[in-house]
Amino acid sequence: MKPKLPRIFLLLLGIVFVLNLVQSYFTPLIFDEAYYWHYAQKLSWGYFDHPPLVALMVRLSGMFFDGELGVRFMSCILSSLMFIVLWACIDHPRKKDYVVHFFVLVFSMALLNAYGFFTLPDTPLLFFTALFLYVYKRFLAKPTWVWGVILGMTMAGLMYSKYHAVLVIVFVLLSNLKLVTLKNAWLAVIVALACYTPHFIWLYHNDFVTIKYHLFDRPNDPYSFTKYTLGYFVNLIALFGLTFPWIYWALFKTRQKDKFTRALLFLTYGIILFFFMSSFNRRIQTQWIIVITIPLIILVFRQMIENETLRKWIYRTGIVNGILILYLRVGLVYEPISPIVYETHGNKEWIAEIKSKIGDTPVVFENSYRNAPMYAFYAGVPTFSLNNLMYRRNQYSIDESEAKVQHQKILYVTRRKQKAPDLELTRADGKVFYGKYIDDFESFRKLRTLVEEPIHLDLEREQEFKVYNPYDQDIDLKKIKFNIAYLTSFKDVKDRMAIEPRIVDDSLKALPANDTVSFIFKFPKPKMKDPAYFRIGISENGLLPGINGTNTKFD
């Protein structure tokens, strides 16, 4: 990478960096950022939803600053470095004449703006995608062992950012299958796997919880053309705003002149086609495809240099995009000018209002891995998300948050309307929450129900399941009750009903610590027709049943 950058480049980069710092300082956290801040309270080689790099970014940011900037500082750094890496990827003798156009192009992309200061897994993903392409370009020019090692480390950085980074690696490989004949390309793979081994070990020790959730337990909906496939094409447009026709026109006009350009095209078209096919199965979120912005910036800027008409129109529409984006960025902080109530609005005030009423009382949120960390960040008290059978598992299901609120007086907060609640809490977005004090809170959400497959929906036959107690204390059987949830083929809970299983060893009066106990039960008759899955949950101390088992498919 050439060390010398044009003075105008450094000036504009400095402006963008300072803008992101100021934005980071004044903008309240969004819910996902609060969740990743919760990750960072205990660094690990993995987390329920994502690899660990986003948590490390938060921890590093917190070493320099407090508050919101203490969550986002590293995002500001990585996004600025991304500009430099992208610039280095572009080999053109006249690129220095169009520095302003380069910044207009990049700044006109709304999500790239957002990830310039928000701390989300996509922030390091974008940086490492740019770095991976730069290193790959150098490797193509000089496939030495040094560049092989650096390439492997960059691939590991990609995978530590977000799991679908594997698509970046795969499509670049597919663009140049001769890589399999290069020993230093294999060295890159070995280095990447070695660097990623700690995460593999974490997955093994945590029963591959992340993989199982994303591939098997994540709920879905019946296919809808409008919501899924048409929505996907809307996302492809939304990535670029007013510049979208010129961006895609430039992509269409690009020809494969060399292996690096071929890699950029394979990566862009590969991601687009992969998620197009996926859109027939699930709704595609905009951030899943944001990685195409990195190769497209390189491809489109090349075309802008050569094509005056394209340069003129992207510059004009890009400036309009940028003005609109700046307006929306101000709206993140100053609510009166925002066209919508966004998740940065009102949370600090809502939390301050609750804390003024309850002091330092810990808070347990029902089914909200979003509200729990947000409250903990701004109120500075222990929180927990108590997930029940109508929700999903998350980081609170596997970490030590539950232990911090056990046997304490807590405020239990739910969206379900309550009779005579102790508090009624209305958030800025109009959602009403109800709070009720529990003097001695006790939950056992880590109890696991285990079923051996295959299993049939036979209402007459007695069947067996097991309960594993991972806690260090015995749990009185009188404190727990059992429940079955019947699910559709899309893993939506439709029926739920109590069951009264019989313990096999009737001498037991408690679930032994760190041990497994067998129960006999019969399936109750479901109200729904032809349930595809079932799940056995456990209710403790009158709480709603938890997500204690996996979604088990009927044979």
Side-chain angles (χ1 to χ4, degrees):
M1 191 181 301
K2 296 180 180 179
K4 190 173 182 181
L5 294 167
R7 182 175 298 178
I8 184 65
F9 186 99
L10 293 173
L11 175 63
L12 293 173
L13 184 64
I15 292 172
V16 171
F17 178 66
V18 171
L19 174 63
N20 287 336
L21 286 179
V22 172
Q23 185 89 52
S24 297
Y25 181 83
F26 287 104
T27 306
L29 294 189
I30 62 174
F31 289 112
D32 280 354
E33 287 183 296
Y35 187 44
Y36 303 135
W37 169 83
H38 174 70
Y39 279 11
Q41 301 317 293
K42 186 176 180 181
L43 288 182
S44 174
W45 285 105
Y47 296 92
F48 183 90
D49 312 76
H50 293 291
L53 191 50
V54 67
L56 179 61
M57 289 175 57
V58 175
R59 178 62 69 88
L60 291 174
S61 297
M63 294 171 63
F64 295 96
F65 299 99
D66 296 321
E68 290 88 352
L69 192 53
V71 173
R72 296 170 172 153
F73 180 63
M74 288 307 300
S75 293
C76 299
I77 296 291
L78 286 188
S79 63
S80 296
L81 290 175
M82 184 189 71
F83 275 79
I84 297 173
V85 175
L86 283 170
W87 182 255
C89 285
I90 300 163
D91 286 334
H92 197 286
R94 292 192 289 127
K95 72 175 184 178
K96 292 183 180 180
D97 298 332
Y98 300 102
V99 173
V100 174
H101 293 78
F102 174 80
F103 274 83
V104 168
L105 173 65
V106 180
F107 196 81
S108 70
M109 300 179 186
L111 281 183
L112 245 59
N113 260 267
Y115 296 135
F117 58 95
F118 284 144
T119 295
L120 302 165
D122 304 276
T123 307
L125 174 65
L126 290 168
F127 168 75
F128 277 105
T129 299
L131 186 60
F132 172 70
L133 291 173
Y134 171 77
V135 174
Y136 175 67
K137 184 177 183 181
R138 296 299 299 266
F139 182 82
L140 287 175
K142 199 172 184 180
T144 63
W145 71 267
V146 174
W147 283 111
V149 169
I150 297 173
L151 186 64
M153 295 172 66
T154 308
M155 290 160 64
L158 271 169
M159 291 304 300
Y160 272 120
S161 301
K162 204 169 183 179
Y163 289 119
H164 81 243
V166 69
L167 296 175
V168 176
I169 299 169
V170 167
F171 286 124
V172 169
L173 171 62
L174 289 176
S175 75
N176 184 11
L177 292 177
K178 289 184 179 180
L179 288 171
V180 300
T181 66
L182 299 179
K183 63 179 181 180
N184 286 328
W186 284 105
L187 175 64
V189 173
I190 293 170
V191 170
L193 291 174
C195 291
Y196 208 59
T197 295
H199 184 62
F200 286 134
I201 294 172
W202 181 90
L203 286 170
Y204 175 78
H205 286 306
N206 287 271
D207 196 28
F208 297 95
V209 62
T210 313
I211 306 301
K212 287 181 178 179
Y213 170 70
H214 285 299
L215 294 183
F216 306 115
D217 290 337
R218 196 165 191 160
N220 202 0
D221 296 312
Y223 175 73
S224 163
F225 174 78
T226 302
K227 183 178 179 181
Y228 285 14
T229 306
L230 181 60
Y232 170 63
F233 286 111
V234 171
N235 287 340
L236 285 174
I237 294 172
L239 275 179
F240 304 108
L242 297 175
T243 62
F244 86 89
W246 310 106
I247 297 286
Y248 291 116
W249 184 86
L251 171 64
F252 179 74
K253 287 293 184 179
T254 301
R255 297 293 176 262
Q256 300 180 18
K257 298 179 180 179
D258 52 66
K259 290 180 180 179
F260 183 64
T261 302
R262 181 179 171 86
L264 299 176
L265 291 171
F266 262 67
L267 177 54
T268 305
Y269 283 118
I271 295 290
I272 290 173
L273 290 173
F274 177 86
F275 284 109
F276 170 69
M277 298 302 296
S278 299
S279 75
F280 292 99
N281 176 258
R282 64 181 65 249
R283 184 176 68 87
I284 305 302
Q285 298 179 25
T286 313
Q287 66 267 26
W288 293 358
I289 54 176
I290 192 178
V291 74
I292 68 170
T293 60
I294 299 301
L296 277 174
I297 286 169
I298 302 170
L299 293 172
V300 173
F301 185 62
R302 286 176 176 176
Q303 294 274 5
M304 288 175 68
I305 296 173
E306 297 293 337
N307 188 310
E308 183 180 355
T309 301
L310 179 69
R311 183 169 66 245
K312 177 178 67 176
W313 281 105
I314 288 183
Y315 187 75
R316 290 174 177 176
T317 54
I319 287 177
V320 176
N321 268 359
I323 293 171
L324 291 173
I325 289 167
L326 285 172
Y327 177 84
L328 293 174
R329 286 179 64 155
V330 174
L332 292 176
V333 181
Y334 186 59
E335 185 178 350
I337 71 167
S338 176
I340 60 171
V341 177
Y342 191 60
E343 55 188 89
T344 58
H345 300 145
N347 287 313
K348 293 174 72 171
E349 294 77 10
W350 184 63
I351 291 167
E353 178 188 356
I354 297 173
K355 189 171 183 182
S356 70
K357 296 176 180 177
I358 70 171
D360 290 333
T361 302
V363 181
V364 174
F365 288 89
E366 181 181 277
N367 292 345
S368 186
Y369 70 88
R370 293 158 62 87
N371 286 316
M374 186 71 80
Y375 191 91
F377 181 83
Y378 285 114
V381 300
T383 61
F384 178 54
S385 174
L386 188 82
N387 309 311
N388 65 42
L389 80 169
M390 301 305 294
Y391 198 49
R392 75 165 181 91
R393 300 182 74 211
N394 48 60
Q395 182 61 24
Y396 288 94
S397 304
I398 64 173
D399 65 18
E400 303 304 316
S401 300
E402 183 184 50
K404 296 178 181 179
V405 296
Q406 293 288 67
H407 300 292
Q408 296 190 51
K409 179 179 179 180
I410 60 99
L411 182 72
Y412 188 84
V413 178
T414 177
R415 287 289 313 280
R416 293 181 295 115
K417 193 170 180 64
Q418 303 289 296
K419 293 181 180 178
D422 295 312
L423 290 174
E424 188 170 314
L425 313 160
T426 303
R427 211 166 57 185
D429 58 5
K431 293 180 179 177
V432 179
F433 294 77
Y434 303 92
K436 201 168 187 67
Y437 288 109
I438 298 177
D439 290 328
D440 183 12
F441 178 78
E442 184 181 46
S443 64
F444 308 120
R445 292 291 139 133
K446 292 189 177 182
L447 290 175
R448 305 299 295 152
T449 57
L450 310 169
V451 178
E452 290 187 10
E453 300 183 71
I455 195 164
H456 302 274
L457 181 56
D458 188 335
L459 304 183
E460 301 300 325
R461 177 184 169 191
E462 287 191 330
Q463 314 223 39
E464 182 180 353
F465 73 89
K466 297 178 181 179
V467 176
Y468 171 63
N469 175 13
Y471 296 95
D472 293 329
Q473 78 265 13
D474 296 351
I475 297 175
D476 190 339
L477 288 170
K478 293 180 181 179
K479 293 183 176 181
I480 63 174
K481 295 182 179 179
F482 294 90
N483 180 282
I484 274 191
Y486 290 115
L487 296 83
T488 68
S489 58
F490 297 101
K491 302 183 180 71
D492 284 333
V493 174
K494 288 297 182 184
D495 282 354
R496 50 178 180 162
M497 51 196 70
I499 58 172
E500 296 183 4
R502 182 180 80 255
I503 193 166
V504 172
D505 184 354
D506 58 10
S507 67
L508 292 175
K509 303 301 178 186
L511 297 175
N514 300 300
D515 203 354
T516 302
V517 175
S518 295
F519 289 81
I520 300 296
F521 78 108
K522 286 185 178 181
F523 281 109
K525 184 177 181 179
K527 297 177 183 176
M528 66 181 292
K529 183 179 180 182
D530 298 327
Y533 297 86
F534 76 96
R535 189 172 63 215
I536 298 177
I538 298 174
S539 168
E540 66 274 52
N541 300 309
L543 298 168
L544 287 178
I547 312 170
N548 305 94
T550 58
N551 298 329
T552 304
K553 190 174 180 63
F554 285 115
D555 191 45

